[in-house]
Amino acid sequence: MVRRPVAWIVAVVLLVEAVGIAAVNWFLGVVVDRQDMSLAGLDPDTMSTSSKIGGVVFGLYFAACGVVALLVAVRDRPPAGLGRVLLVSAAVVHALLGAFAWGLMGWPAFLYMVVVLALIVLLLMTYDRPAAGPARGGPVGPRDAPAGPEGPRGDGGSPVSPPPAPTTP
């Protein structure tokens, strides 16, 4: 199965990315603070603080997504509720960052974002809910039980569709 290794890879990538995003934004905040730079008259202290806070918040967001992927890998169960929402939002964020990265940083950054996006989508798709039934190991109920010539629902045994309606000339 490819599900658990993909979940482990996604967890590691998102946790490393969380640390990287937080570190880069913290470093940019320190640079702005030490250089006493200003952008269009904005206060340098405000820019430095907001860069640091943004890095921490974005890092915590990716860390939360990584923890969800880690729990999926450990439990071997699909993400549910808030965890699924976090992973879907991380996929959307990577798609948007990939689009921006293409124009701002070039194709290597775009390729990285697309690979992470593909891994997250693969994680979400491989843990999709299975169809219930005897072929998938689900419970056998009265609808799945073999029946006589009338079929389980009394429809004449036709599993596909009813015969076409008669037409008049």
Side-chain angles (χ1 to χ4, degrees), residues 16-153:
V16 168
E17 193 171 8
V19 171
I21 289 290
V24 165
N25 279 327
W26 193 273
F27 174 73
L28 290 176
V30 169
V31 168
V32 167
D33 194 31
R34 289 190 181 163
Q35 295 293 321
D36 201 30
M37 295 188 287
S38 176
L39 181 67
L42 293 174
D43 182 29
D45 292 331
T46 304
M47 288 177 25
S48 172
T49 305
S50 63
S51 176
K52 291 175 183 177
I53 290 172
V56 169
V57 168
F58 213 45
L60 288 174
Y61 165 72
F62 277 135
C65 294
V67 167
V68 169
L70 185 66
L71 289 174
V72 167
V74 169
R75 295 178 182 168
D76 197 25
R77 282 191 273 154
L82 181 62
R84 189 167 184 85
V85 170
L86 276 173
L87 287 177
V88 169
S89 67
V92 171
V93 165
H94 279 86
L96 291 172
L97 287 176
F100 288 125
W102 179 270
L104 296 176
M105 293 177 276
W107 68 269
F110 170 76
L111 184 64
Y112 172 77
M113 290 297 163
V114 169
V115 167
V116 176
L117 168 66
L119 285 171
I120 294 172
V121 170
L122 185 62
L123 170 68
L124 290 169
M125 295 303 292
T126 56
Y127 278 99
D128 204 12
R129 300 190 191 277
R136 301 289 266 157
V140 177
R143 301 184 97 200
D144 299 325
E150 287 297 311
R153 285 173 254 126

Side-chain angles (χ1 to χ4, degrees), residues 7-22:
W8 281 107
I9 291 170
V10 169
V12 168
V13 166
L14 287 176
L15 290 172
V16 168
E17 193 171 8
V19 171
I21 289 290

